[in-house]
């Protein structure tokens, strides 16, 4: 099993920056990819960014050039994903959920963290 603990998020003005972290524990060797989805009120959950174990990163179009996903899994006992969010816009507001996709298993979700961008 993989467990996730998120941190970061908060309230920021438009144009500001935030950094999200997601620390995984458990069967780290099974993780194929990690990333974030977000969900705005009344909207469906959408993929924001993800990165595979071999460093292949993908972003939704609206965050390209503003968000950067990275990871730290240099040690076998650690697997932490980061999402640096710069030049934030009000439309980035939402509940951000970290996820992990373990090989041969279903998605695992973090507890969610709120990101609010004021105009």
């Amino acid at each position: 099993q993989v467990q996730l603990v998120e941190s970061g998020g908060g309230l920021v003005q438009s144009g500001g920056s935030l950094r999200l972290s997601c620390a995984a524990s458990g069967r780290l060797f099974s993780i194929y990819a990690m990333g974030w989805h977000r969900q705005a009120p009344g909207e469906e959950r959408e993929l924001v960014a993800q990165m595979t174990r071999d460093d292949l990163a993908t972003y939704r179009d609206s965050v390209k050039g503003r968000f950067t996903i990275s990871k730290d899994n240099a040690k076998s006992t650690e697997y932490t994903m980061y999402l640096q969010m710069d030049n934030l816009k009000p439309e980035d507001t939402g509940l951000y959920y970290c996820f992990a996709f373990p090989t041969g298993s279903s998605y695992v979700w973090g507890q969610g963290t709120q990101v609010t961008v004021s105009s």
Side-chain angles (χ1 to χ4, degrees):
Q1 288 282 10
V2 174
Q3 296 82 38
L4 303 175
V5 176
E6 298 186 57
S7 59
L11 173 63
V12 66
Q13 289 187 335
S14 182
S17 298
L18 288 172
R19 189 193 197 203
L20 306 183
S21 300
C22 182
S25 61
R27 296 167 58 91
L28 301 181
F29 63 89
S30 69
I31 295 174
Y32 171 72
M34 286 180 63
W36 276 268
H37 279 70
R38 70 185 179 193
Q39 187 167 20
E43 302 290 333
E44 294 187 354
R45 192 175 295 192
E46 59 186 20
L47 177 67
V48 177
Q50 70 175 27
M51 177 175 278
T52 64
R53 176 175 286 274
D54 53 0
D55 298 332
L56 178 63
T58 56
Y59 301 89
R60 72 178 301 103
D61 287 344
S62 63
V63 307
K64 287 180 180 178
R66 300 188 297 118
F67 290 13
T68 304
I69 192 168
S70 61
K71 65 179 174 63
D72 182 359
N73 64 331
K75 299 180 180 179
S76 61
T77 56
E78 296 179 354
Y79 203 124
T80 303
M81 193 70 69
Y82 303 98
L83 185 66
Q84 178 66 39
M85 304 184 292
D86 297 318
N87 190 21
L88 282 159
K89 303 177 180 181
E91 51 263 42
D92 294 318
T93 294
L95 196 55
Y96 283 66
Y97 293 95
C98 174
F99 72 88
F101 182 45
T103 303
S105 184
S106 57
Y107 277 83
V108 177
W109 296 94
Q111 77 274 20
T113 187
Q114 179 67 37
V115 171
T116 303
V117 185
S118 62
S119 57

